[in-house]
Amino acid sequence: MKHLTEYRDARLVKRLLERLRKTVSKKWHIMEVCGGQTHGLVRHGILDMLPPEISMIHGPGCPVCVTPVSHIDTAVSLALDHNVILCSFGDMLRVPGSSGSLLQARAQGADVRVVYAPYEAVQLAQQQPDREVVFFAVGFETTAPANALSVLQAHQLGLKNYSLLTAHVLVPPAMTAIMSDPETRVNAFLAAGHVCAVTGMQVYEPFVKRWQVPVVVTGFEPVDLLQGICTAAELLESSRAELVNQYRRAVHPEGNPFAIKTADAVFEKSLREWRGIGEIPESGLRLRSVWSAFDAFQKFGINPELPAASTAAQQQQCRSGEVMKGLIKPAQCQYFGTGCTPETPLGAPMVSSEGACAAYYQYVGGWHHES
Amino acid sequence: MKAEDKRPVVKLSCAAPAAEFTQITLSHGSGGTQMRQLLQQYVFECLNNDWLQKQEDAAILQVEGPFAFSTDTFVVSPLFFPGGDIGDLAVNGTINDLAVSGALPQYLSLAFILEEGFSSASFLRILQSIRRCCAAAGAAIVTGDTKVLERGKGDGIFINTSGIGRLRVGVQLGVSFLKDNDCLLVSGPLARHGIAVMSRRKGIGFETSIQSDTQPLHEICGMLSDALGTDLHLMRDATRGGVGTILHEITSQSRFSAEIEESALPVEQEVAGACEMLGLDPLFVANEGVFVAAVAAHKATEALALLRSHRFGQQAALIGRLRSDLRAPVVLNSTIGGRRVLPPMRGELLPRIC
């Protein structure tokens, strides 16, 4: 695992920090879009090492966090009331819905299983033909192709007992929503490296042109993150709105054509509610009508647009919109750590460890300035 | 007990008994003839000693005080994993709880909850591990119990062990003996057991050569406490929840914080890679043969050298120290020179999506 040493090299980090200090002459707000990047910044203690001119704004890029309460409630209800085998990636299990999490449903007797890949769920459906298997398809453009492939595989195998509970979200519409807000302070973006490994970089070209902001496609290790921040700062200081690829070892400008084609064959864009943020047009994926036999919403007669009663109330209190626009830091919210904790989140960023508020809550805590 | 313990492992007397049954049935827990058969042919045959031979309701022991007493229950899945099985864990787990308390493990109880349909070959294999581990630790199983649950109500086998052992002379261990600036040491590389088990778990399985670190710590703990005396302030067995959880336990029970150097944490490369892939922090992954020790600062170098001189401590490391001037319970200085709070683990360890 070379990346554990090379991309965490303390000397290289020091050199990049010096380069950054020499580059910046004024205050810049840079948003890292992906929750994995937020996690990296706090886990390695990078935020405190940055020069004071650089302020990182933590973006909405945590698919677990932004999955609406209504979808979690649907998953819980499918598992509890419809006797399905509900398969999910591990970190969805803890996320609270309005009447509990999937973990709690499991404790009540629901058949909830953690899988690492959707194909495991397809195999399960093959092995248990008399049970309905539902895969909770959560994630950005990164997980969509494999989830789409599972539908194609299930179709090829002639399976009638496999379906997807689709809760996919797309990154560029969320970035557009952030820039569309007149209050936003974001000057530049670190685009999510792994999303770009699938989609390629072209999707950001119109974005860069329209909003005149630099976008640096960035990886997740300390050296990646600092290179991304340095590049963004250099572009900002020289007033260049450009699209740059820092994460060249993983991201090809064209992306992964097979993955794009596969996802496109199965999914189409749709209106999506983001937990704690609200509805964003064309920001989600749903199964194309030709694949409706694999759509858990249709199969079990559930309306995907139906918001949970508690969602609206939560959204009114939650200030995640201000966090994501860079107006406040998580700890400046009056509910942070008191009315809003990972166990009882008011909004998306407190839900999973990759959400900005949860990352602060975990790694920075209330002790930030004393220690 | 002693004569039995000294028998070499290769001459185990508990070879497969006459195959009168291949699976555990409810009648093996009923108290009748099948239960006697199970005990005679399997348990007593394997763990034979004077106490078990007597088949009394309780073992009569000569124990000089003060002694330590501990209990633990084992429900691992899968039952057999690289580097060991539930039998190893059941013995070493209790041995290690006694060892880190400064005691010399002597007598253990052993209770099985078996599930109807559990294979007798697996049961025998587990008994052989129990026998081997008892011999290695110089401890004897002196009393026990067997129950059988209906199929579907257990996970093959659950085991409980309790143990007692005489406290070593001059030992003074506990959070009340901790001092500012005490050095924190770990006796071996982190996270091997948890990753070995996860590598074989259904749904996660991946190819790896990582083996569980299940091993008895009585010898290495005894060596450390004999050499350091009252300069050894605390030892804790870093099992479930890993070293990180122990650090939080220590700091929540005392007035001190812990400051940890990430670069000093001993993590084998393959384990680090697996943790990275699964989205887990090796500090919070289970060990079954690693302990944390807090020692007086002026004895840290000596303690480290001692640990490293033992076969179970070759990768021991000084990972940080206790401090009274920090506000966060545990602070970690990252490899790249950053600094952050190390949060306690919450809930179950769950792999991340991305």
Side-chain angles (χ1 to χ4, degrees), chain A residues 20-223:
Chain A
L20 185 59
R21 255 176 238 121
K22 282 182 194 153
T23 304
V24 288
S25 65
K26 55 182 165 182
K27 185 97 186 160
W28 297 113
H29 293 91
I30 303 174
M31 170 176 279
E32 83 280 1
V33 171
C34 177
Q37 293 166 328
T38 307
H39 191 80
L41 288 173
V42 286
R43 179 179 162 201
H44 297 286
I46 296 171
L47 289 179
D48 286 349
M49 301 164 88
L50 296 174
E53 292 87 351
I54 297 292
S55 176
M56 297 307 293
I57 299 176
H58 315 302
C62 165
V64 172
C65 303
V66 299
T67 298
V69 172
S70 57
H71 282 53
I72 294 165
D73 290 348
T74 302
V76 167
S77 144
L78 283 176
L80 274 176
D81 309 330
H82 295 261
N83 192 33
V84 308
I85 301 176
L86 199 285
C87 297
S88 169
F89 293 133
D91 48 0
M92 274 314 292
L93 262 58
R94 244 198 298 261
V95 181
S98 58
S99 61
S101 64
L102 284 168
L103 264 188
Q104 287 164 326
R106 188 159 80 179
Q108 289 165 39
D111 195 347
V112 177
R113 305 196 191 180
V114 173
V115 294
Y116 257 85
Y119 186 58
E120 289 173 40
V122 174
Q123 283 177 313
L124 199 61
Q126 223 181 339
Q127 290 155 7
Q128 306 222 21
D130 51 338
R131 296 280 307 273
E132 281 291 336
V133 175
V134 177
F135 180 68
F136 201 174
V138 173
F140 284 106
E141 291 90 332
T142 33
T143 53
N147 294 348
L149 199 59
S150 79
V151 169
L152 299 178
Q153 284 165 330
H155 174 65
Q156 272 171 6
L157 292 166
L159 297 179
K160 305 277 181 235
N161 62 331
Y162 178 74
S163 57
L164 290 188
L165 179 62
T166 312
H168 275 293
V169 271
L170 301 172
V171 171
M175 288 167 66
T176 300
I178 287 160
M179 287 313 289
S180 307
D181 193 306
E183 280 187 313
T184 191
R185 289 190 184 176
V186 179
N187 303 117
F189 287 90
L190 304 186
H194 291 154
V195 168
C196 295
V198 172
T199 63
M201 294 169 63
Q202 294 103 321
V203 285
Y204 294 104
E205 274 164 13
F207 180 86
V208 170
K209 274 206 189 102
R210 177 176 171 196
W211 300 105
Q212 285 298 301
V213 289
V215 172
V216 184
V217 175
T218 303
F220 301 82
E221 292 299 318
V223 168

Side-chain angles (χ1 to χ4, degrees), chain A residues 1 4 8 10 42-44 46 49 64 89-91 94 103 106 116 120 342-343 354 361-363 367 370-371, chain B residues 203-204 272-273 276 278 327-329 331 334-341 343 346-348 350-354:
Chain A
M1 295 296 270
L4 292 185
R8 293 180 191 179
V42 286
R43 179 179 162 201
H44 297 286
I46 296 171
M49 301 164 88
V64 172
F89 293 133
D91 48 0
R94 244 198 298 261
L103 264 188
R106 188 159 80 179
Y116 257 85
E120 289 173 40
E343 283 80 21
E354 300 205 344
Y361 184 83
Q362 286 218 25
Y363 292 121
W367 310 283
E370 286 89 357
S371 62
Chain B
I204 300 183
E276 200 67 25
L278 296 169
R327 291 289 296 275
V331 173
S334 74
T335 310
I336 60 157
R339 187 173 168 82
R340 67 164 166 97
V341 166
R346 279 202 310 268
E348 193 186 347
L350 294 171
R352 292 184 293 126
I353 289 184
C354 57

Side-chain angles (χ1 to χ4, degrees), chain B residues 64-113:
Chain B
E64 288 169 41
F67 60 87
F69 178 36
S70 182
T71 189
D72 210 341
T73 302
F74 300 85
V75 296
V76 67
S77 171
L79 300 172
F80 301 92
F81 46 81
D85 60 47
I86 190 170
D88 295 82
L89 296 188
V91 175
N92 289 340
T94 292
I95 295 290
N96 293 348
D97 283 342
L98 295 172
V100 296
S101 310
L104 188 70
Q106 291 170 286
Y107 306 110
L108 302 182
S109 73
L110 172 68
F112 295 112
I113 297 176

Side-chain angles (χ1 to χ4, degrees), chain B residues 97-104 166-169 171 173 225 235:
Chain B
D97 283 342
L98 295 172
V100 296
S101 310
L104 188 70
R166 187 165 29 84
L167 223 55
R168 291 168 180 278
V169 180
V171 168
L173 297 173
S225 67
M235 293 191 285

